[in-house]
Amino acid sequence: GARPPLSPPTDNAMEGGAQQSSLWEPPEQDGGPAERDGGEGPPEVRRSQPLFIHGSSQGAGKGGSHPWDRNHLPHELVSRRVPWCRGGPDSPGAPSQVVKVFGEDGACRSLEASAATTARQLCESLVRRTRALQDHSWALVELHQHLALERCLEDHESVVEVQSSWAPGADSRFVFRKNFAKYELFKSSALLFPEVMVSSCLEANKSMAHSELIQNFLNSGSCPEVQGFLHLREAGRKVWKRFHFSLRRSGLYYSTKGTSKDPRHLQYFADLTESNIYYVTQGKKLYGTPTEFGFCIKPHKVRSGVKGLRLLCSEDEQSRSCWMAAFRLFK
């Protein structure tokens, strides 16, 4: 049947259970509110009026090292629809949490979201309510500023669950901004997995072309075996060493003897199923990375601090993109 009309005080943000509880709150600054161009002063703002989150590319990476740099990523991206969560214990009436989401300009909006509210639902709601241009590039980014770590949430992830994993008082936040590489894994998958990094899979399937092999992995919901050299920061030290890594079905390993795949030389490195993968944005400054292309495996049990982070560094952006794509498929 038809849903009852919305009451004025509680304006539903989305079908999944998120509600708008306040307007965008501008960042604190000296002086009064800024005037709009061509206006005679600040307009009167009522609670029912959504303010715009600036969706420009000014926050994108510079120098070509940032994974979301629009200079080398396409604008048309393929979307894979993710069903909205309905029913169950997270239906209307279930407890909700306040989620703060920041725009690229530092402005903030507080929303109420249930445990069923997904990252995609929250983005679609924000696009509508801020009157931003609708496309598939909008993303919800989890940002840990004190650790210089960030990642784009997957469409299906529960926003409340992610926020609940943060340590109390930690300098962590959600940022609503564009990610032009969000669906590249499904559009240009063969380009993300260069032949040299999936050579063992090609050797085992010699009759299959490289692009066909990668597509078969995607269709089957599995991940190709990826291998290559990475710089590893030793635990408790600021020393970086270069090892040959392999991502297999059983996890991530590195060889203690060159490129040897002998089980005696393979050292288990990390459990990806109980971790999230982040880009490192200020690697040289905070961690002394050998290059600008750092990334990090952060176990769920590590809520704050550097201890427990598994820091890695690639030689170039193509290598890092391949590893990050493989980790997404693995998870």
mmCIF file of all heavy atoms in Angstrom, residues 63-97:
data_model
loop_
_atom_site.group_PDB
_atom_site.id
_atom_site.type_symbol
_atom_site.label_atom_id
_atom_site.label_comp_id
_atom_site.label_asym_id
_atom_site.label_seq_id
_atom_site.Cartn_x
_atom_site.Cartn_y
_atom_site.Cartn_z
ATOM 1 N N GLY A 63 49.320 15.794 -9.086
ATOM 2 C CA GLY A 63 50.568 15.168 -9.497
ATOM 3 C C GLY A 63 50.400 13.779 -10.055
ATOM 4 O O GLY A 63 51.365 13.096 -10.296
ATOM 5 N N GLY A 64 49.121 13.343 -10.219
ATOM 6 C CA GLY A 64 48.879 12.037 -10.830
ATOM 7 C C GLY A 64 49.074 10.861 -9.898
ATOM 8 O O GLY A 64 48.898 9.734 -10.290
ATOM 9 N N SER A 65 49.393 11.107 -8.601
ATOM 10 C CA SER A 65 49.642 9.993 -7.708
ATOM 11 C C SER A 65 48.391 9.558 -6.971
ATOM 12 O O SER A 65 48.360 8.494 -6.388
ATOM 13 C CB SER A 65 50.718 10.367 -6.681
ATOM 14 O OG SER A 65 50.272 11.414 -5.847
ATOM 15 N N HIS A 66 47.354 10.385 -6.953
ATOM 16 C CA HIS A 66 46.132 10.056 -6.232
ATOM 17 C C HIS A 66 45.262 9.159 -7.092
ATOM 18 O O HIS A 66 45.095 9.391 -8.274
ATOM 19 C CB HIS A 66 45.368 11.338 -5.873
ATOM 20 C CG HIS A 66 44.337 11.115 -4.825
ATOM 21 N ND1 HIS A 66 43.160 10.453 -5.073
ATOM 22 C CD2 HIS A 66 44.316 11.451 -3.511
ATOM 23 C CE1 HIS A 66 42.441 10.411 -3.964
ATOM 24 N NE2 HIS A 66 43.116 11.008 -3.006
ATOM 25 N N PRO A 67 44.680 8.103 -6.493
ATOM 26 C CA PRO A 67 43.902 7.147 -7.290
ATOM 27 C C PRO A 67 42.642 7.727 -7.883
ATOM 28 O O PRO A 67 42.061 7.130 -8.772
ATOM 29 C CB PRO A 67 43.560 6.055 -6.263
ATOM 30 C CG PRO A 67 43.632 6.738 -4.937
ATOM 31 C CD PRO A 67 44.736 7.731 -5.081
ATOM 32 N N TRP A 68 42.190 8.902 -7.396
ATOM 33 C CA TRP A 68 40.950 9.455 -7.915
ATOM 34 C C TRP A 68 41.202 10.703 -8.760
ATOM 35 O O TRP A 68 40.355 11.571 -8.889
ATOM 36 C CB TRP A 68 40.006 9.793 -6.767
ATOM 37 C CG TRP A 68 39.691 8.600 -5.944
ATOM 38 C CD1 TRP A 68 39.864 7.291 -6.293
ATOM 39 C CD2 TRP A 68 39.176 8.582 -4.617
ATOM 40 N NE1 TRP A 68 39.473 6.463 -5.278
ATOM 41 C CE2 TRP A 68 39.050 7.223 -4.232
ATOM 42 C CE3 TRP A 68 38.796 9.557 -3.715
ATOM 43 C CZ2 TRP A 68 38.569 6.830 -3.005
ATOM 44 C CZ3 TRP A 68 38.307 9.173 -2.487
ATOM 45 C CH2 TRP A 68 38.195 7.826 -2.140
ATOM 46 N N ASP A 69 42.372 10.844 -9.296
ATOM 47 C CA ASP A 69 42.699 11.995 -10.132
ATOM 48 C C ASP A 69 41.893 11.923 -11.424
ATOM 49 O O ASP A 69 42.017 10.995 -12.201
ATOM 50 C CB ASP A 69 44.204 11.975 -10.452
ATOM 51 C CG ASP A 69 44.645 13.225 -11.195
ATOM 52 O OD1 ASP A 69 43.772 14.038 -11.529
ATOM 53 O OD2 ASP A 69 45.859 13.361 -11.417
ATOM 54 N N ARG A 70 41.022 12.934 -11.673
ATOM 55 C CA ARG A 70 40.157 12.884 -12.844
ATOM 56 C C ARG A 70 40.938 13.034 -14.149
ATOM 57 O O ARG A 70 40.411 12.779 -15.222
ATOM 58 C CB ARG A 70 39.075 13.967 -12.764
ATOM 59 C CG ARG A 70 39.574 15.383 -12.917
ATOM 60 C CD ARG A 70 38.445 16.299 -13.333
ATOM 61 N NE ARG A 70 37.398 16.347 -12.324
ATOM 62 C CZ ARG A 70 36.132 16.551 -12.622
ATOM 63 N NH1 ARG A 70 35.761 16.684 -13.873
ATOM 64 N NH2 ARG A 70 35.217 16.618 -11.682
ATOM 65 N N ASN A 71 42.218 13.405 -14.087
ATOM 66 C CA ASN A 71 42.983 13.585 -15.318
ATOM 67 C C ASN A 71 43.231 12.273 -16.047
ATOM 68 O O ASN A 71 43.471 12.260 -17.246
ATOM 69 C CB ASN A 71 44.337 14.250 -14.999
ATOM 70 C CG ASN A 71 44.154 15.677 -14.518
ATOM 71 O OD1 ASN A 71 43.225 16.351 -14.958
ATOM 72 N ND2 ASN A 71 45.013 16.127 -13.634
ATOM 73 N N HIS A 72 43.214 11.144 -15.313
ATOM 74 C CA HIS A 72 43.500 9.892 -15.997
ATOM 75 C C HIS A 72 42.414 8.840 -15.754
ATOM 76 O O HIS A 72 42.623 7.664 -15.957
ATOM 77 C CB HIS A 72 44.860 9.328 -15.569
ATOM 78 C CG HIS A 72 44.924 8.890 -14.138
ATOM 79 N ND1 HIS A 72 45.156 9.764 -13.105
ATOM 80 C CD2 HIS A 72 44.781 7.676 -13.572
ATOM 81 C CE1 HIS A 72 45.177 9.111 -11.971
ATOM 82 N NE2 HIS A 72 44.932 7.832 -12.215
ATOM 83 N N LEU A 73 41.224 9.290 -15.311
ATOM 84 C CA LEU A 73 40.129 8.359 -15.113
ATOM 85 C C LEU A 73 38.925 8.788 -15.939
ATOM 86 O O LEU A 73 38.671 9.980 -16.086
ATOM 87 C CB LEU A 73 39.746 8.303 -13.628
ATOM 88 C CG LEU A 73 40.803 7.690 -12.726
ATOM 89 C CD1 LEU A 73 40.407 7.845 -11.278
ATOM 90 C CD2 LEU A 73 41.006 6.225 -13.056
ATOM 91 N N PRO A 74 38.164 7.847 -16.478
ATOM 92 C CA PRO A 74 37.022 8.189 -17.321
ATOM 93 C C PRO A 74 35.886 8.783 -16.511
ATOM 94 O O PRO A 74 35.789 8.581 -15.315
ATOM 95 C CB PRO A 74 36.615 6.833 -17.916
ATOM 96 C CG PRO A 74 37.085 5.845 -16.913
ATOM 97 C CD PRO A 74 38.345 6.416 -16.336
ATOM 98 N N HIS A 75 34.991 9.509 -17.203
ATOM 99 C CA HIS A 75 33.864 10.134 -16.536
ATOM 100 C C HIS A 75 32.632 9.245 -16.580
ATOM 101 O O HIS A 75 31.752 9.378 -15.744
ATOM 102 C CB HIS A 75 33.540 11.475 -17.205
ATOM 103 C CG HIS A 75 34.596 12.507 -16.953
ATOM 104 N ND1 HIS A 75 34.385 13.587 -16.125
ATOM 105 C CD2 HIS A 75 35.875 12.613 -17.394
ATOM 106 C CE1 HIS A 75 35.475 14.332 -16.078
ATOM 107 N NE2 HIS A 75 36.381 13.761 -16.840
ATOM 108 N N GLU A 76 32.527 8.357 -17.566
ATOM 109 C CA GLU A 76 31.368 7.487 -17.671
ATOM 110 C C GLU A 76 31.698 6.151 -17.023
ATOM 111 O O GLU A 76 32.616 5.464 -17.447
ATOM 112 C CB GLU A 76 30.982 7.246 -19.140
ATOM 113 C CG GLU A 76 30.585 8.523 -19.870
ATOM 114 C CD GLU A 76 31.787 9.313 -20.344
ATOM 115 O OE1 GLU A 76 32.853 8.709 -20.503
ATOM 116 O OE2 GLU A 76 31.650 10.512 -20.526
ATOM 117 N N LEU A 77 30.999 5.816 -15.970
ATOM 118 C CA LEU A 77 31.295 4.604 -15.221
ATOM 119 C C LEU A 77 30.070 3.710 -15.184
ATOM 120 O O LEU A 77 28.940 4.168 -15.170
ATOM 121 C CB LEU A 77 31.705 4.958 -13.784
ATOM 122 C CG LEU A 77 32.993 5.792 -13.702
ATOM 123 C CD1 LEU A 77 33.148 6.361 -12.317
ATOM 124 C CD2 LEU A 77 34.191 4.937 -14.057
ATOM 125 N N VAL A 78 30.308 2.415 -15.156
ATOM 126 C CA VAL A 78 29.228 1.447 -15.152
ATOM 127 C C VAL A 78 28.831 1.160 -13.715
ATOM 128 O O VAL A 78 29.674 0.881 -12.882
ATOM 129 C CB VAL A 78 29.662 0.144 -15.839
ATOM 130 C CG1 VAL A 78 28.549 -0.899 -15.753
ATOM 131 C CG2 VAL A 78 30.006 0.421 -17.303
ATOM 132 N N SER A 79 27.545 1.186 -13.422
ATOM 133 C CA SER A 79 27.049 0.944 -12.069
ATOM 134 C C SER A 79 26.479 -0.452 -11.961
ATOM 135 O O SER A 79 25.747 -0.895 -12.820
ATOM 136 C CB SER A 79 25.967 1.972 -11.716
ATOM 137 O OG SER A 79 25.326 1.624 -10.520
ATOM 138 N N ARG A 80 26.832 -1.115 -10.880
ATOM 139 C CA ARG A 80 26.208 -2.392 -10.570
ATOM 140 C C ARG A 80 25.199 -2.141 -9.460
ATOM 141 O O ARG A 80 25.555 -1.747 -8.362
ATOM 142 C CB ARG A 80 27.239 -3.425 -10.133
ATOM 143 C CG ARG A 80 28.044 -3.948 -11.302
ATOM 144 C CD ARG A 80 28.615 -5.322 -11.004
ATOM 145 N NE ARG A 80 29.128 -5.913 -12.221
ATOM 146 C CZ ARG A 80 29.673 -7.115 -12.272
ATOM 147 N NH1 ARG A 80 29.769 -7.839 -11.197
ATOM 148 N NH2 ARG A 80 30.113 -7.600 -13.418
ATOM 149 N N ARG A 81 23.942 -2.358 -9.769
ATOM 150 C CA ARG A 81 22.895 -2.063 -8.810
ATOM 151 C C ARG A 81 23.011 -2.978 -7.594
ATOM 152 O O ARG A 81 23.192 -4.174 -7.705
ATOM 153 C CB ARG A 81 21.523 -2.253 -9.442
ATOM 154 C CG ARG A 81 21.322 -1.475 -10.711
ATOM 155 C CD ARG A 81 21.410 0.017 -10.510
ATOM 156 N NE ARG A 81 20.320 0.495 -9.672
ATOM 157 C CZ ARG A 81 20.153 1.771 -9.362
ATOM 158 N NH1 ARG A 81 21.007 2.668 -9.799
ATOM 159 N NH2 ARG A 81 19.141 2.137 -8.618
ATOM 160 N N VAL A 82 22.905 -2.387 -6.431
ATOM 161 C CA VAL A 82 22.927 -3.148 -5.193
ATOM 162 C C VAL A 82 21.566 -3.026 -4.540
ATOM 163 O O VAL A 82 21.068 -1.917 -4.357
ATOM 164 C CB VAL A 82 24.010 -2.602 -4.227
ATOM 165 C CG1 VAL A 82 23.963 -3.333 -2.904
ATOM 166 C CG2 VAL A 82 25.386 -2.736 -4.868
ATOM 167 N N PRO A 83 20.897 -4.134 -4.243
ATOM 168 C CA PRO A 83 19.557 -4.053 -3.670
ATOM 169 C C PRO A 83 19.562 -3.336 -2.329
ATOM 170 O O PRO A 83 20.483 -3.484 -1.543
ATOM 171 C CB PRO A 83 19.142 -5.523 -3.515
ATOM 172 C CG PRO A 83 20.400 -6.302 -3.590
ATOM 173 C CD PRO A 83 21.371 -5.511 -4.399
ATOM 174 N N TRP A 84 18.519 -2.573 -2.088
ATOM 175 C CA TRP A 84 18.399 -1.876 -0.813
ATOM 176 C C TRP A 84 17.976 -2.849 0.269
ATOM 177 O O TRP A 84 17.252 -3.799 0.033
ATOM 178 C CB TRP A 84 17.354 -0.762 -0.929
ATOM 179 C CG TRP A 84 17.843 0.419 -1.671
ATOM 180 C CD1 TRP A 84 18.941 0.469 -2.495
ATOM 181 C CD2 TRP A 84 17.265 1.721 -1.684
ATOM 182 N NE1 TRP A 84 19.078 1.718 -3.009
ATOM 183 C CE2 TRP A 84 18.061 2.516 -2.535
ATOM 184 C CE3 TRP A 84 16.167 2.301 -1.075
ATOM 185 C CZ2 TRP A 84 17.787 3.842 -2.779
ATOM 186 C CZ3 TRP A 84 15.901 3.628 -1.322
ATOM 187 C CH2 TRP A 84 16.702 4.397 -2.159
ATOM 188 N N CYS A 85 18.442 -2.597 1.478
ATOM 189 C CA CYS A 85 18.088 -3.462 2.596
ATOM 190 C C CYS A 85 16.682 -3.107 3.072
ATOM 191 O O CYS A 85 16.391 -1.937 3.305
ATOM 192 C CB CYS A 85 19.081 -3.274 3.752
ATOM 193 S SG CYS A 85 20.772 -3.692 3.327
ATOM 194 N N ARG A 86 15.827 -4.083 3.211
ATOM 195 C CA ARG A 86 14.469 -3.859 3.685
ATOM 196 C C ARG A 86 14.123 -4.924 4.716
ATOM 197 O O ARG A 86 14.632 -6.032 4.680
ATOM 198 C CB ARG A 86 13.458 -3.932 2.530
ATOM 199 C CG ARG A 86 13.715 -2.948 1.411
ATOM 200 C CD ARG A 86 12.737 -3.195 0.287
ATOM 201 N NE ARG A 86 13.017 -2.358 -0.874
ATOM 202 C CZ ARG A 86 12.509 -1.164 -1.066
ATOM 203 N NH1 ARG A 86 11.700 -0.647 -0.167
ATOM 204 N NH2 ARG A 86 12.788 -0.460 -2.146
ATOM 205 N N GLY A 87 13.181 -4.588 5.585
ATOM 206 C CA GLY A 87 12.658 -5.565 6.521
ATOM 207 C C GLY A 87 13.659 -5.959 7.575
ATOM 208 O O GLY A 87 14.732 -5.395 7.704
ATOM 209 N N GLY A 88 13.302 -6.986 8.368
ATOM 210 C CA GLY A 88 14.209 -7.482 9.388
ATOM 211 C C GLY A 88 14.282 -6.565 10.586
ATOM 212 O O GLY A 88 13.473 -5.653 10.762
ATOM 213 N N PRO A 89 15.278 -6.755 11.440
ATOM 214 C CA PRO A 89 15.385 -5.982 12.668
ATOM 215 C C PRO A 89 15.684 -4.526 12.431
ATOM 216 O O PRO A 89 15.577 -3.725 13.347
ATOM 217 C CB PRO A 89 16.552 -6.672 13.414
ATOM 218 C CG PRO A 89 17.355 -7.317 12.325
ATOM 219 C CD PRO A 89 16.356 -7.738 11.298
ATOM 220 N N ASP A 90 16.094 -4.148 11.212
ATOM 221 C CA ASP A 90 16.440 -2.758 10.935
ATOM 222 C C ASP A 90 15.319 -2.035 10.217
ATOM 223 O O ASP A 90 15.531 -1.042 9.542
ATOM 224 C CB ASP A 90 17.718 -2.698 10.085
ATOM 225 C CG ASP A 90 18.897 -3.312 10.813
ATOM 226 O OD1 ASP A 90 19.056 -2.981 11.985
ATOM 227 O OD2 ASP A 90 19.622 -4.108 10.209
ATOM 228 N N SER A 91 14.101 -2.521 10.324
ATOM 229 C CA SER A 91 12.955 -1.857 9.739
ATOM 230 C C SER A 91 12.653 -0.588 10.514
ATOM 231 O O SER A 91 13.215 -0.346 11.590
ATOM 232 C CB SER A 91 11.745 -2.801 9.772
ATOM 233 O OG SER A 91 12.010 -3.943 8.996
ATOM 234 N N PRO A 92 11.752 0.263 9.992
ATOM 235 C CA PRO A 92 11.391 1.480 10.715
ATOM 236 C C PRO A 92 11.018 1.178 12.161
ATOM 237 O O PRO A 92 10.287 0.237 12.457
ATOM 238 C CB PRO A 92 10.201 2.002 9.904
ATOM 239 C CG PRO A 92 10.448 1.515 8.523
ATOM 240 C CD PRO A 92 11.092 0.168 8.672
ATOM 241 N N GLY A 93 11.535 1.977 13.063
ATOM 242 C CA GLY A 93 11.318 1.739 14.475
ATOM 243 C C GLY A 93 12.544 1.181 15.160
ATOM 244 O O GLY A 93 12.633 1.209 16.384
ATOM 245 N N ALA A 94 13.494 0.628 14.378
ATOM 246 C CA ALA A 94 14.725 0.117 14.968
ATOM 247 C C ALA A 94 15.611 1.277 15.391
ATOM 248 O O ALA A 94 15.514 2.369 14.846
ATOM 249 C CB ALA A 94 15.460 -0.760 13.955
ATOM 250 N N PRO A 95 16.490 1.083 16.385
ATOM 251 C CA PRO A 95 17.363 2.166 16.851
ATOM 252 C C PRO A 95 18.235 2.706 15.717
ATOM 253 O O PRO A 95 18.639 1.972 14.818
ATOM 254 C CB PRO A 95 18.220 1.490 17.930
ATOM 255 C CG PRO A 95 17.438 0.280 18.340
ATOM 256 C CD PRO A 95 16.686 -0.155 17.128
ATOM 257 N N SER A 96 18.514 3.992 15.755
ATOM 258 C CA SER A 96 19.350 4.608 14.731
ATOM 259 C C SER A 96 20.483 5.368 15.396
ATOM 260 O O SER A 96 20.480 5.593 16.606
ATOM 261 C CB SER A 96 18.523 5.551 13.851
ATOM 262 O OG SER A 96 17.943 6.578 14.644
ATOM 263 N N GLN A 97 21.460 5.748 14.587
ATOM 264 C CA GLN A 97 22.596 6.525 15.068
ATOM 265 C C GLN A 97 22.721 7.794 14.236
ATOM 266 O O GLN A 97 22.281 7.850 13.093
ATOM 267 C CB GLN A 97 23.894 5.719 14.961
ATOM 268 C CG GLN A 97 24.019 4.571 15.936
ATOM 269 C CD GLN A 97 25.409 3.955 15.897
ATOM 270 O OE1 GLN A 97 26.365 4.572 15.424
ATOM 271 N NE2 GLN A 97 25.531 2.727 16.383
#
